[in-house]
Amino acid sequence: MKPTQQCPCCGSDSFQEWTKATDREYRTTDETFTLYRCNNCESLYLHPVPIDRLSIIYPSNYYSFAEQNTSIISSIKTGLDKRFFRQLSQSVKKQSLTALDVGGGVGWELNVLQEADNRVKNTMIVDLDPDAAAGAEKNGHGYFCGRIEEYETTTKYDIILMLNLIEHVEFPSEVLKKCRELLSDEGIIIIKTPNCDALDARIFRNRNWGGFHCPRHWTLFTKSSFELCAKNAGLSVKTFSYTQGAPFWATSTLFALENMGMVKITKERPVVYHPLYAPLTGIFAGFDFIRGIFAKTSQMFFVLEKGKQI
């Protein structure tokens, strides 16, 4: 008998079991999780979500809790992010800009945004990590510890960042609705999220694809399913682009090498800290940049603006 459930993206109760996955990255649990594919919008989602085990599935050595990486690859990424932010922020024609980062930790991305556009003055982070507050405030950002749905303010934000965040939440449409409330009339929401309709997602479907990030990614979208979710939240897509999914390729490849006994991944040294992870990421980034000219890659950028309220 199928469990009673609804797609977090579109609300449909028509689905099929897609695959099973485990926590190969951080080894926080031995449990096997089931991902389902919505027959209506084709999103993938985890059910049930481990909402009551956040402190377990996000261990102290989780990559976003680590110190900022200063490697050559990280520096290149920062440079590309700065150029990307500069291009997008120019569409907001105001003398001074307010910015909010949902799930922003200590504010690395807000720092880059401010370097890209010196009009960004008033910055805020909403995050669940109480340990990030001191770092965020040291970087000059306001900090609210809690869920974005709980955040109350009279400030309207010109730029809202949700980078690799929306796939981690239980109810993505509710998060998008809240962000619409916080958005200024001229403002934009910049979202980066995995694309489950990609080559590597198909190749590694039954071999713990890195994009599953199991059990931390709870909803995985296609381009069309995310557009539907955004529309239902009263938002419209201003611009869209695919971008490289090198971390997913690298993670999936290391899992495959581990299956062959060629590498060792442990709870103490997760896959992102393996010495082969950085070079593999660099190789696959180049591969995806070339392939992205004519193919769907496994990360997507959406820039949203206020649409018609539904």
Side-chain angles (χ1 to χ4, degrees):
M1 180 178 178
K2 288 184 177 181
T4 301
Q5 63 197 58
Q6 290 183 322
C7 171
C9 178
C10 71
S12 171
D13 60 1
S14 176
F15 57 89
Q16 58 183 296
E17 184 176 315
W18 189 246
T19 193
K20 293 183 181 294
T22 57
D23 187 0
R24 296 273 309 264
E25 288 184 72
Y26 291 92
R27 319 289 164 113
T28 61
T29 174
D30 294 329
E31 184 178 348
T32 298
F33 296 85
T34 303
L35 285 108
Y36 296 88
R37 182 176 184 267
C38 175
N39 290 330
N40 179 52
C41 73
E42 300 185 344
S43 290
L44 301 181
Y45 60 93
L46 199 69
H47 183 83
V49 296
I51 187 71
D52 58 337
R53 287 178 281 167
L54 296 181
S55 62
I56 296 173
I57 65 174
Y58 290 96
S60 59
N61 60 350
Y62 189 61
Y63 78 95
S64 67
F65 300 158
E67 294 294 327
Q68 187 170 12
N69 194 325
T70 56
S71 67
I72 293 175
I73 292 176
S74 178
S75 298
I76 293 172
K77 179 184 180 300
T78 298
L80 292 172
D81 287 348
K82 191 183 299 184
R83 184 175 68 177
F84 178 70
F85 286 151
R86 185 180 298 115
Q87 291 172 343
L88 295 179
S89 66
Q90 297 308 308
S91 68
V92 185
K93 306 298 183 183
K94 298 174 71 174
Q95 290 186 342
S96 180
L97 303 179
T98 54
L100 166 69
D101 192 347
V102 186
V106 299
W108 296 343
E109 296 293 352
L110 283 179
N111 293 344
V112 175
L113 176 63
Q114 288 183 305
E115 291 175 11
D117 192 328
N118 59 18
R119 294 178 300 157
V120 179
K121 305 296 184 184
N122 182 352
T123 54
M124 172 63 69
I125 295 168
V126 174
D127 198 291
L128 293 173
D129 181 15
D131 294 331
E137 291 166 0
K138 183 178 179 181
N139 284 326
H141 312 303
Y143 193 87
F144 174 81
C145 185
R147 299 164 65 240
I148 185 63
E149 298 94 323
E150 301 164 342
Y151 176 56
E152 297 296 335
T153 180
T154 57
T155 302
K156 297 296 182 181
Y157 292 97
D158 301 307
I159 300 175
I160 298 178
L161 303 179
M162 282 199 290
L163 305 176
N164 297 310
L165 180 282
I166 196 70
E167 63 274 11
H168 289 262
V169 305
E170 188 174 12
F171 302 110
S173 60
E174 296 305 311
V175 169
L176 290 175
K177 287 177 183 177
K178 178 64 177 184
C179 286
R180 188 190 189 281
E181 292 177 12
L182 296 171
L183 191 66
S184 69
D185 290 340
E186 309 89 347
I188 56 174
I189 303 174
I190 303 172
I191 290 180
K192 184 180 183 182
T193 192
N195 168 35
C196 62
D197 181 24
L199 177 62
D200 45 317
R202 291 189 288 273
I203 291 174
F204 297 104
R205 169 180 169 180
N206 296 311
R207 291 180 285 173
N208 278 274
W209 175 50
F212 291 149
H213 196 44
C214 182
R216 288 160 289 273
H217 283 179
W218 295 349
T219 306
L220 293 166
F221 303 90
T222 66
K223 177 178 182 290
S224 59
S225 69
F226 186 83
E227 287 174 339
L228 174 63
C229 193
K231 180 180 178 181
N232 289 340
L235 296 161
S236 61
V237 177
K238 184 174 184 177
T239 64
F240 166 82
S241 62
Y242 289 107
T243 188
Q244 57 86 15
F248 301 155
W249 279 106
T251 299
S252 304
T253 300
L254 283 168
F255 291 160
L257 292 174
E258 184 184 34
N259 290 342
M260 294 184 283
M262 298 176 66
V263 302
K264 185 176 181 180
I265 300 167
T266 66
K267 185 175 183 178
E268 292 70 31
R269 191 184 68 177
V271 65
V272 293
Y273 301 114
H274 192 280
L276 288 177
Y277 180 80
L280 284 172
T281 299
I283 291 168
F284 283 117
F287 173 64
D288 264 5
F289 274 125
I290 295 171
R291 196 172 64 88
I293 298 171
F294 55 85
K296 301 174 184 176
T297 50
S298 55
Q299 287 269 33
M300 303 181 288
F301 271 121
F302 290 90
V303 178
L304 307 179
E305 60 186 357
K306 282 187 175 181
K308 182 180 179 182
Q309 184 69 63
I310 296 177

